[in-house]
Amino acid sequence: MTITYTTDDVMTAVVAVEPSFQPILWLDDLSLAGYEALARGPRDSPLAMPLDLFAAAKERGVVGVLESAMTKATLDAVMARPWDPSVTVFGNVEPETMMSPLAPEAMATIDVAERRGVRVILEITERALLANPASLIATSNAARSRGWGIAMDDVGALEDTLTLLWVLQPDVVKLDMSILHRPFDSRAARVSATVRHYCDRTGALTVCEGVETEDHEARARALGADLVQGFRYAVPGPRPDAVTRIDRPIGLRGVSVGDPLPFVDCVAQVGVHELPGPHIEKMAAELLTVVTMQTDSAIVLTTAPDADAVLPGYLQLLSSLASRASLVALIAPGACGEPAPGVVGVDSDAQPDLGSPWSITVIAPTMAASILSESFADTGPAAPVSHRILHDRPTVAHGVRVLLPHILSTI
């Protein structure tokens, strides 16, 4: 039976929200690395557990209020008694509320925590992760400007998280507990291999959550996890009386996360090819066909020198993909609203950021590609057109990060 809570019921629970702390350990020697702060409603109430509490808050439209209350309660608890800054505190953030301003009292507490050097990693939960990737990137950049870290939570429960792995560039990747709890299959193999490759190339850390048994721990070790968390080690509980200095703190890259070179300089190192304009158009159409057959979790961004220059057939292809992809956008001067059903129009010129007037960029769990082209010559369809093709996922993700701020102003 579904229980409906009144706004007063929910607000009473929100005001009383408090953190419960669960340790996160280094797997190699099971020494302490940090604590995750988990939201708890009033004890012995139907809204005591976080899933119930957040679901009720969402139903009543007060998730932002709950986020503010939980943020303040967590940092107040951390700073109330001795907590050495070498120990990291992990806190969850709901993507749907990340661009909403926190309450002033919560922001004041954050400012105090920053001045006191509290080491924080924000966990971006999987729910609605791709609903607004532009806001996601903006919020993570704001957190990193404070020297904080970013973690992607529940990675692998859905394909969405793998799409954004290289775009968001998390400091920590928390594998969904299904990777440990279910029989290991091709999905688990694909997810764990993708995460391991990302962590090996970037220095990010992998966490296996939900470790409850010796078998779970053995699988975590086999997968190369750096950190573990679960009932095998400790259940969530009150904040420890004193959190003392540890020898191995989690490294936070903070503002150093990003791209060392502007995108145009990265692309300049990629070889230039020449093909007639119609061949490039056909290649772009084939790229859209490939992504349509592979995934429902793609981000597809295309740019043009002018919205009126985009052929109707190309817009139709974008529209056919929009019903299945997470985001399909046309960025071009004069583009606005929906240039085609399901396609987000962005009235902006991306050429200075990309170095090319025409482009299509696709990133998805199993593929990454970008085609950047000069303007098609007016001398005829057989005239050669200079273009570049990218398949290196980090470089393609760099291009996505360059384009997403253009979209932020429209959604």
Side-chain angles (χ1 to χ4, degrees):
M1 182 179 70
T2 302
I3 302 175
T4 301
Y5 299 97
T6 68
T7 300
D8 287 344
D9 291 335
V10 176
M11 288 304 297
T12 298
V14 166
V15 171
V17 71
E18 59 183 24
S20 184
F21 294 87
Q22 185 175 38
I24 297 174
L25 310 176
W26 291 103
L27 179 54
D28 56 0
D29 61 4
L30 299 182
S31 62
L32 180 68
Y35 291 88
E36 180 177 359
L38 302 163
R40 293 292 186 266
R43 296 176 187 178
D44 302 321
S45 96
L47 297 178
M49 299 308 293
L51 289 179
D52 298 323
L53 180 58
F54 275 92
K58 183 174 183 179
E59 181 182 348
R60 291 297 168 182
V62 293
V63 175
V65 181
L66 176 55
E67 292 274 17
S68 290
M70 180 58 185
T71 299
K72 186 176 188 307
T74 297
L75 293 177
D76 281 344
V78 167
M79 295 186 292
R81 298 190 298 281
W83 182 294
D84 192 274
S86 62
V87 180
T88 303
V89 58
F90 288 70
N92 288 284
V93 179
E94 293 290 326
E96 63 195 83
T97 65
M98 283 194 304
M99 289 307 291
S100 301
L102 292 173
E105 56 269 24
M107 289 304 303
T109 303
I110 288 174
D111 290 339
V112 173
E114 181 184 358
R115 290 195 297 270
R116 290 179 56 173
V118 176
R119 184 182 297 264
V120 176
I121 289 181
L122 297 183
E123 293 190 21
I124 311 299
T125 59
E126 185 190 59
R127 294 184 293 277
L129 195 58
L130 276 177
N132 194 338
S135 295
L136 183 69
I137 298 303
T139 302
S140 68
N141 289 342
R144 280 174 165 146
S145 71
R146 294 180 178 270
W148 292 3
I150 297 294
M152 282 177 62
D153 196 14
D154 301 328
V155 171
L158 296 174
E159 281 192 323
D160 296 15
T161 46
L162 297 181
T163 297
L164 282 175
L165 194 58
W166 278 97
V167 177
L168 185 60
Q169 297 186 77
D171 304 86
V172 172
V173 183
K174 302 187 79 172
L175 289 173
D176 183 69
M177 64 176 60
S178 65
I179 303 296
L180 297 185
H181 287 206
R182 297 177 185 171
F184 201 75
D185 56 13
S186 58
R187 178 193 67 86
R190 183 174 67 252
V191 168
S192 57
T194 300
V195 169
R196 186 70 265 156
H197 175 70
Y198 166 78
C199 291
D200 287 343
R201 289 193 62 174
T202 63
L205 301 174
T206 305
V207 181
C208 276
E209 294 185 288
V211 180
E212 299 175 0
T213 68
E214 184 178 339
D215 288 344
H216 292 161
E217 184 180 286
R219 181 172 292 181
R221 293 184 186 278
L223 293 175
D226 302 288
L227 300 155
V228 285
Q229 176 182 1
F231 289 174
R232 177 169 171 80
Y233 314 109
V235 298
R239 177 212 192 278
D241 287 335
V243 178
T244 57
R245 181 171 181 79
I246 59 175
D247 294 331
R248 189 165 33 148
I250 294 173
L252 300 183
R253 293 174 289 171
V255 293
S256 67
V257 173
D259 305 293
L261 293 174
F263 183 72
V264 290
D265 292 339
C266 291
V267 171
Q269 302 173 24
V270 178
V272 178
H273 305 277
E274 289 189 341
L275 283 173
H279 288 214
I280 298 175
E281 293 172 356
K282 184 176 293 186
M283 183 166 52
E286 285 297 321
L287 178 58
L288 292 176
T289 300
V290 169
V291 73
T292 300
M293 298 302 294
Q294 284 199 5
T295 180
D296 291 338
S297 304
I299 295 175
V300 180
L301 307 175
T302 188
T303 69
D306 188 271
D308 293 336
V310 182
L311 297 174
Y314 187 70
L315 282 175
Q316 186 176 356
L317 281 173
L318 290 174
S319 183
S320 66
L321 181 58
S323 63
R324 302 186 65 239
S326 295
L327 172 65
V328 179
L330 169 64
I331 305 170
C336 57
E338 284 194 355
V343 178
V344 177
V346 182
D347 184 4
S348 183
D349 183 9
Q351 180 171 349
D353 293 326
L354 296 183
S356 299
W358 290 92
S359 76
I360 177 170
T361 298
V362 174
I363 193 161
T366 55
M367 68 176 300
S370 185
I371 302 170
L372 302 136
S373 173
E374 297 302 318
S375 295
F376 295 170
D378 297 326
T379 55
V385 178
S386 297
H387 64 282
R388 291 180 168 92
I389 305 174
L390 313 176
H391 288 285
D392 176 63
R393 181 172 286 269
T395 307
V396 173
H398 186 174
V400 173
R401 287 191 295 276
V402 164
L403 293 174
L404 283 176
H406 291 267
I407 299 171
L408 184 60
S409 61
T410 69
I411 53 180

